[in-house]
Amino acid sequence: WHFGYNVTVVYPREPKTELYKRLLTQLRQHKIEVVGELPELKSGVVVDAMLGFSSKGALREPFATFVTKVNEAQTRGIPVVAIDVPSGWDVEA
């Protein structure tokens, strides 16, 4: 529990850069659960921090599936909060 919240971070693959490796290490040191696949979303709040506004082109896996599952959860009433532009939105349109 962190600040009263049970947090799970979905990180689909091991990071390649040293910066992201250190960030992942910090999550684990703080005992924040890190999983490789998006769990079933039944309750809580989804914080969308997948992709930013600079993402271009069609979504590739696993992000295409993540966006579909998050959108489905939102239609069931689970709130989704985007840190930047919601993943999958075309900011050029």
Side-chain angles (χ1 to χ4, degrees):
W1 289 86
H2 298 278
F3 300 101
Y5 295 95
N6 185 11
V7 177
T8 301
V9 173
V10 180
Y11 208 98
R13 54 184 163 238
E14 284 298 313
K16 295 178 182 173
T17 67
E18 198 58 38
L19 171 67
Y20 290 110
K21 288 178 184 179
R22 287 194 310 266
L23 291 171
L24 201 54
T25 297
Q26 289 176 1
L27 289 170
R28 291 178 174 139
Q29 287 173 341
H30 288 284
K31 308 229 183 307
I32 294 174
E33 181 181 22
V34 179
V35 298
E37 294 186 23
L38 190 66
E40 185 177 353
L41 303 171
K42 295 181 181 180
S43 63
V45 175
V46 174
V47 178
D48 174 357
M50 285 185 271
L51 306 168
F53 70 90
S54 62
S55 179
K56 303 251 187 280
L59 291 174
R60 293 178 296 198
E61 292 301 332
F63 301 105
T65 298
F66 287 3
V67 168
T68 298
K69 287 182 177 182
V70 168
N71 288 343
E72 289 170 354
Q74 190 173 26
T75 63
R76 293 192 315 272
I78 295 175
V80 177
V81 179
I83 289 178
D84 197 341
V85 175
S87 296
W89 276 22
D90 182 0
V91 297
E92 302 295 325

